[in-house]
């Protein structure tokens, strides 16, 4: 995906909308069209971490080459950040000469790979016509979804449409290698705090087993999967969809790890440290204990409000029904006054005892839900972190009872 200013975006849309009248790619017979998938490696900015791709059409007669991609968004759009928070992200399709489009990624140090595809003349012509139709101003926009409808799934679906569903049929039959959560953590691991926040906010949707078709929401996964696709060769046999693969420009940035980081031990240790500090400061430094407890309770309450809002007020379905709400929720706010009184030796009231018991019950339910055979959400790291912290706080708040 790539940011583009509103004025430039409109100019590019107008230029490519006028393409049929001026560009040979738009008028070339299907036999002259060479179709390739261009895959760009991950970038350094957080919105570039997932990579990007485009469909390249080349007219073999004139040599003209155009890239079509679905990854344009505009920070200058009215209410952009509000729409982003609500899960209503508006993206656009774009087209540009291949050398202009690819030079941006080469200069940024991101890898560029071209896979030439074995489409027939009829398939290439149908793909070109669909892309030009999709490029019209009234058709170019769409509502972006990180996992289900993004710049890569749009490219994948356009290719599948041209191939009459062959691509989907073969990829649905294969198991994916990772879940949405694992792929997200892997690609965001270079920015640990953002990775942790995203992992905390993902619900059970992100942990469902994926087919290769679903996992092809990522450019690099689609690139790999296309190598295994076989199509009719027109003579009763099968041939590879990918005719050739060329590394146009090598990557000059840090490469994401091949697997997702295991967050269980780091968060378990962090929870143990926080619990130990809470217990120790309760005895030796009451003010420090109150400050430490306030930081945890306030953070837990804020996190709970955000998780609740993501579930009830947005279309971010990957965040719905998040079991982490049992670990971090607004109940934490109620305990703040009791926390500060406890540093002076005052016991929690009966009502606060009930709040503490309710929170411990929520923790127990979260643990039991995770142990159920049909449990989907993989939130073990946050269970290991929160369980220790809440037990230490419950003990310290009831110590004077």
């Amino acid at each position: 995906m790539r940011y583009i200013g509103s004025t430039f975006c409109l100019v590019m849309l107008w230029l490519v909308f006028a393409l049929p009248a001026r560009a040979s790619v738009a008028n070339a017979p299907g036999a002259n069209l060479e179709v390739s998938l261009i895959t760009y490696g991950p970038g350094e900015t957080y919105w570039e971490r997932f990579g990007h791709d485009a469909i390249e059409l080349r007219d073999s007669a004139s040599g003209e080459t155009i890239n079509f991609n679905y990854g344009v968004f505009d920070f200058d759009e009215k209410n952009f950040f509000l729409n982003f928070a609500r899960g209503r992200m508006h993206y656009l399709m774009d087209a540009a000469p291949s050398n202009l489009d690819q030079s941006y990624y080469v200069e940024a140090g991101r890898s560029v790979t071209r896979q030439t595809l074995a489409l027939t003349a009829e398939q290439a012509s149908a793909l070109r016509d669909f892309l030009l139709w999709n490029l019209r101003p009234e058709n170019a926009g769409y509502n972006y979804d990180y996992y289900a409808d993004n710049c890569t799934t749009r490219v994948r679906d356009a290719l599948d449409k041209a191939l009459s569903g062959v691509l989907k049929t073969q990829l649905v039959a294969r198991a994916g290698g990772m879940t949405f959560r694992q792929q997200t953590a892997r690609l965001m691991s270079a920015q640990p705090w953002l990775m942790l926040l995203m992992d905390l906010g993902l619900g059970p949707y992100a942990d469902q087993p994926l087919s290769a078709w679903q996992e092809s929401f990522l450019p690099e996964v689609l690139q790999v999967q296309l190598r295994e696709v076989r199509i009719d060769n027109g003579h009763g046999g099968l041939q590879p969809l990918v005719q050739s693969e060329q590394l146009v420009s090598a990557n000059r940035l840090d490469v994401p790890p091949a697997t997702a980081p295991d967050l269980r031990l780091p968060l378990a240790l962090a929870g143990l440290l926080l619990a130990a500090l809470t217990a120790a400061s309760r005895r030796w430094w009451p003010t420090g204990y109150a400050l430490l407890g306030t930081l945890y309770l306030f953070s837990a309450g804020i996190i709970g409000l955000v998780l609740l809002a993501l579930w009830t007020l947005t279309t971010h379905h990957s965040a719905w029904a998040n079991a982490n709400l049992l670990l971090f929720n607004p109940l934490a706010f109620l305990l703040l006054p009791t926390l500060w009184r406890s540093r002076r030796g005052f016991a929690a009231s009966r009502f606060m005892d009930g709040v503490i018991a309710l929170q411990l019950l929520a923790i127990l339910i979260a643990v039991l839900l995770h142990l159920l055979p049909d449990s989907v959400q993989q939130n073990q790291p946050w269970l290991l972190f929160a369980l220790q912290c809440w037990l230490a706080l419950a003990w310290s708040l009831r110590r004077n009872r």
Side-chain angles (χ1 to χ4, degrees), residues 10-123:
L10 291 174
V11 170
M12 287 303 301
L13 283 175
W14 180 85
L15 286 174
V16 294
F17 179 53
L19 199 57
R22 67 175 184 85
S24 57
V25 164
N27 301 311
N32 289 355
L33 288 176
E34 183 181 279
V35 179
S36 299
L37 174 67
I38 307 297
T39 303
Y40 305 112
E44 293 182 309
T45 309
Y46 63 90
W47 69 72
E48 299 174 333
R49 297 303 298 167
F50 284 49
H52 189 41
D53 56 12
I55 295 174
E56 179 186 82
L57 297 184
R58 179 179 180 272
D59 175 23
S60 60
S62 67
E64 183 177 44
T65 311
I66 301 294
N67 272 18
F68 297 81
N69 84 91
Y70 290 86
V72 176
F73 65 95
D74 183 9
F75 275 135
D76 297 327
E77 178 190 37
K78 183 179 179 181
N79 298 324
F80 175 85
F81 290 103
L82 176 61
N83 289 330
F84 175 82
R86 297 168 65 188
R88 299 176 182 177
M89 295 169 284
H90 302 136
Y91 272 58
L92 293 168
M93 184 189 184
D94 183 31
S98 294
N99 59 349
L100 177 64
D101 194 50
Q102 293 173 23
S103 64
Y104 168 85
Y105 297 94
V106 173
E107 292 173 6
R110 299 169 64 176
S111 63
V112 180
T113 306
R114 175 184 289 109
Q115 290 175 301
T116 303
L117 307 181
L119 270 65
T120 65
E122 292 76 14
Q123 291 169 338

Side-chain angles (χ1 to χ4, degrees), residues 147 152-153 156-157 167-180 183 208-226 228-229:
Y147 299 125
T152 298
T153 64
R156 177 201 66 190
D157 293 350
L167 190 58
K168 183 174 183 178
T169 299
Q170 295 188 31
L171 296 190
V172 163
R174 301 179 197 160
M178 299 186 198
T179 64
F180 289 134
Q183 287 286 14
Q208 60 179 307
L210 301 180
S211 66
W213 173 261
Q214 292 170 302
E215 198 179 8
S216 295
F217 79 99
L218 286 175
E220 65 174 336
V221 174
L222 180 61
Q223 175 189 355
V224 171
Q225 292 296 341
L226 287 191
E228 306 300 322
V229 174

Side-chain angles (χ1 to χ4, degrees), residues 273-298 332 335-348 352 356 388-401:
L273 176 61
L274 186 56
L277 288 174
T278 299
S281 60
R282 175 69 176 86
R283 178 175 182 180
W284 303 108
W285 187 29
T287 300
Y289 153 75
L291 292 172
L292 188 63
T294 297
L295 177 62
Y296 179 80
L297 291 175
F298 185 77
L335 296 173
L336 285 170
T338 301
L339 175 72
W340 282 89
R341 285 197 298 268
S342 69
R343 75 186 180 97
R344 296 180 177 176
F346 294 105
M352 286 301 121
I356 295 169
Q388 300 175 91
C389 295
W390 278 116
L391 288 175
L393 275 172
W395 169 82
S396 64
L397 290 174
R398 289 182 49 81
R399 184 182 176 194
N400 296 318
R401 176 63 65 191

Side-chain angles (χ1 to χ4, degrees), residues 72-351:
V72 176
F73 65 95
D74 183 9
F75 275 135
D76 297 327
E77 178 190 37
K78 183 179 179 181
N79 298 324
F80 175 85
F81 290 103
L82 176 61
N83 289 330
F84 175 82
R86 297 168 65 188
R88 299 176 182 177
M89 295 169 284
H90 302 136
Y91 272 58
L92 293 168
M93 184 189 184
D94 183 31
S98 294
N99 59 349
L100 177 64
D101 194 50
Q102 293 173 23
S103 64
Y104 168 85
Y105 297 94
V106 173
E107 292 173 6
R110 299 169 64 176
S111 63
V112 180
T113 306
R114 175 184 289 109
Q115 290 175 301
T116 303
L117 307 181
L119 270 65
T120 65
E122 292 76 14
Q123 291 169 338
S125 179
L127 176 61
R128 184 265 317 276
D129 293 344
F130 171 74
L131 292 173
L132 291 177
W133 170 86
N134 205 175
L135 199 58
R136 293 173 178 268
E138 65 271 22
N139 302 327
Y142 69 100
N143 292 323
Y144 185 92
D145 181 282
Y146 278 108
Y147 299 125
D149 193 0
N150 66 19
C151 48
T152 298
T153 64
R154 290 264 165 167
V155 165
R156 177 201 66 190
D157 293 350
L159 293 174
D160 184 60
K161 181 179 176 68
L163 291 166
S164 302
V166 169
L167 190 58
K168 183 174 183 178
T169 299
Q170 295 188 31
L171 296 190
V172 163
R174 301 179 197 160
M178 299 186 198
T179 64
F180 289 134
R181 183 187 302 278
Q182 290 169 333
Q183 287 286 14
T184 301
R186 179 179 73 85
L187 292 169
M188 298 304 299
S189 59
Q191 294 158 311
W193 286 108
L194 185 56
M195 174 193 66
L196 288 172
L197 289 174
M198 293 181 70
D199 188 79
L200 182 60
L202 289 173
Y205 175 87
D207 294 302
Q208 60 179 307
L210 301 180
S211 66
W213 173 261
Q214 292 170 302
E215 198 179 8
S216 295
F217 79 99
L218 286 175
E220 65 174 336
V221 174
L222 180 61
Q223 175 189 355
V224 171
Q225 292 296 341
L226 287 191
R227 297 170 185 159
E228 306 300 322
V229 174
R230 298 293 181 266
I231 57 174
D232 188 353
N233 64 5
H235 304 288
L238 296 176
Q239 66 175 354
L241 172 62
V242 178
Q243 285 184 318
S244 64
E245 185 167 325
Q246 174 193 7
L247 180 62
V248 177
S249 180
N251 176 67
R252 301 195 306 274
L253 305 177
D254 291 336
V255 178
T259 59
D262 190 340
L263 301 178
R264 288 175 295 183
L265 181 59
L267 285 178
L269 291 176
L272 179 61
L273 176 61
L274 186 56
L277 288 174
T278 299
S281 60
R282 175 69 176 86
R283 178 175 182 180
W284 303 108
W285 187 29
T287 300
Y289 153 75
L291 292 172
L292 188 63
T294 297
L295 177 62
Y296 179 80
L297 291 175
F298 185 77
S299 298
I302 292 295
I303 290 170
L305 289 176
V306 172
L307 296 182
L308 189 61
L310 286 171
W311 185 0
T312 60
L313 301 177
T314 77
T315 59
H316 291 291
H317 52 271
S318 59
W320 292 354
N322 193 335
N324 287 330
L325 257 173
L326 294 167
L327 311 178
F328 310 100
N329 57 71
L331 280 177
F333 291 133
L334 298 178
L335 296 173
L336 285 170
T338 301
L339 175 72
W340 282 89
R341 285 197 298 268
S342 69
R343 75 186 180 97
R344 296 180 177 176
F346 294 105
S349 66
R350 295 294 181 186
F351 175 76

